[in-house]
Amino acid sequence: SIGAVLFDGYSNYNALQLRVQKRYSNGLSFIFNYAYSKTMDTGTGSGNNATADVWQNAFDVRANYGLSTLDMKNMINGSVTYELPFGRGKLVNLRGIANQALGGWRVTGVFQVHSGIPFTVRTSDNGQDLSGSAANQCGCGYSWLPNLVGNPHVSNPSPSEWYNPAAFATPTPGTFGNEHRNTLIGPAWRDLDLSLGKTFQIRHGMDLEVRADSFNVLNHPNFGQPSTSTGTGVVGGGVITSASGARSMQLGGRFTF
């Protein structure tokens, strides 16, 4: 056999993007970004000769057109830096040892909030070509998709049931499933990192910076994507079994000369 690759996919991106920025003054600076967007394509890959995320019928590119796996409907991110008003020349004027201990501390926060990303439900026979099209011979992202036979949405999505797996059924062998690509959305993401730091001047040209960092300071669980395997007799479809790391903290220092 002779293998061939045809690059015939297409994509589009539309967005409303806003930015609010305050340059450093009076001890405060911040930047705030917001994007309301929609990204659609016929397959999300990572570069030249890359595999599309999922497809079922290689002879019908349009049938694979849907939300990109890069799609995030709402995205908010930014950072804030505030120098505490304590110390020489500050709102609360301090001198001597009090200034050395309490003056010059700064707080920095980095935040990110975004909508969940899309995913595609697949049959338990994922990787097998029971459609009869011989598409799985390439080993490049083929999946046999299920038939949509009910409402996949649940009223209160949770890690134990993010979508309704009973809404999907395994197609008859020799046919394609009618489910469309990336029709369901995974959990949203929320994260706030904080840092408290101060730079001590030891002598001219010699500084010591000390800082304490806390990642995911609110200890908010950010869940991974649910299991996408469904079909007759499949257990675990729609269940989320992974999450990002819990709150972590670190202390650090940097000597500059």
Side-chain angles (χ1 to χ4, degrees):
S1 62
I2 299 176
V5 179
L6 179 62
F7 296 98
D8 57 352
Y10 50 92
S11 64
N12 64 75
Y13 172 78
N14 296 281
L16 166 68
Q17 298 179 347
L18 301 175
R19 168 174 287 193
V20 179
Q21 183 175 6
K22 181 184 184 301
R23 298 181 184 274
Y24 184 82
S25 63
N26 300 317
L28 175 66
S29 67
F30 64 79
I31 185 168
F32 173 88
N33 300 297
Y34 171 70
Y36 177 76
S37 64
K38 189 172 186 179
T39 308
M40 301 189 72
D41 59 28
T42 56
T44 306
S46 58
N48 182 49
N49 204 26
T51 298
D53 55 320
V54 61
W55 57 273
Q56 179 178 223
N57 185 354
F59 300 100
D60 187 359
V61 175
R62 289 188 177 185
N64 216 49
Y65 186 70
L67 291 175
S68 168
T69 55
L70 305 176
D71 179 73
M72 294 178 185
K73 184 176 182 180
N74 293 283
M75 162 69 81
I76 299 173
N77 62 48
S79 64
V80 180
T81 298
Y82 180 60
E83 190 170 296
L84 300 181
F86 307 108
R88 180 175 299 178
K90 303 292 184 182
L91 182 63
V92 179
N93 192 36
L94 300 175
R95 296 181 180 274
I97 296 177
N99 178 61
Q100 289 293 326
L102 301 177
W105 288 96
R106 62 187 177 277
V107 178
T108 302
V110 179
F111 56 89
Q112 183 180 107
V113 179
H114 65 72
S115 305
I117 59 176
F119 63 92
T120 306
V121 174
R122 316 181 190 199
T123 69
S124 59
D125 301 295
N126 181 35
Q128 299 184 56
D129 182 21
L130 300 184
S131 69
S133 65
N136 67 334
Q137 297 301 312
C138 72
C140 53
Y142 167 79
S143 288
W144 194 34
L145 303 184
N147 282 326
L148 184 63
V149 296
N151 183 4
H153 302 285
V154 295
S155 56
N156 295 298
S158 68
S160 60
E161 188 183 31
W162 192 256
Y163 64 87
N164 175 23
F168 301 92
T170 302
T172 302
T175 65
F176 288 121
N178 64 12
E179 186 214 5
H180 293 289
R181 170 177 164 265
N182 284 344
T183 54
L184 297 179
I185 306 297
W189 178 280
R190 295 174 177 83
D191 180 71
L192 173 64
D193 303 332
L194 289 181
S195 175
L196 176 65
K198 174 180 169 65
T199 300
F200 296 89
Q201 185 177 34
I202 300 175
R203 55 183 296 182
H204 180 69
M206 299 176 63
D207 298 316
L208 175 64
E209 180 188 17
V210 295
R211 58 187 297 165
D213 302 309
S214 178
F215 304 97
N216 190 14
V217 66
L218 300 179
N219 204 30
H220 177 79
N222 288 304
F223 296 107
Q225 296 287 68
S227 170
T228 60
S229 183
T230 62
T232 306
V234 175
V235 177
V239 177
I240 297 175
T241 58
S242 64
S244 64
R247 180 196 300 118
S248 64
M249 303 181 70
Q250 68 179 23
L251 299 175
R254 184 173 65 178
F255 178 62
T256 306
F257 62 93

